Amino acid sequence: EKDEEENVVHGDHVMLYDVKNSMIRVPKNKLVVIKDLENYIVVDEDDILMIVPKNKEQEIKQITKDVGKEKGAFFV
């Protein structure tokens, strides 16, 4: 569900300040504070934090492959 600023947030302890049209997915037990962000995807999962402009969403698959090649399958 989107909030009044068109954000979709998955996480129990997320504080947003002047954040618009973004998707935030973080662990439920992690405190996350984000300020002055617009049109971004933020994903914090396991040992990876990914921050990507929403208009580059199509590149996430390639970035994930690159991480696997560069850092090993442990990170993918």
Side-chain angles (χ1 to χ4, degrees), residues 13-71:
H13 305 288
V14 179
M15 299 174 70
L16 302 179
Y17 299 89
D18 299 316
V19 176
K20 296 177 176 76
N21 195 34
S22 294
M23 195 282 284
I24 316 294
R25 188 174 76 204
V26 297
K28 289 182 180 265
N29 63 343
K30 188 170 205 170
L31 172 60
V32 175
V33 181
I34 301 175
K35 173 143 178 58
D36 295 334
L37 200 67
E38 187 169 352
N39 296 318
Y40 270 80
I41 297 169
V42 177
V43 178
D44 184 354
E45 198 170 286
D46 299 322
D47 290 336
I48 300 173
L49 171 63
M50 185 181 325
I51 303 171
V52 180
K54 284 180 82 175
N55 66 348
K56 304 285 183 172
E57 182 178 12
Q58 302 305 320
E59 297 177 28
I60 290 176
K61 284 184 182 180
Q62 184 60 50
I63 292 168
T64 302
K65 287 180 186 176
D66 293 346
V67 168
K69 287 180 188 174
E70 182 74 25
K71 301 297 180 185

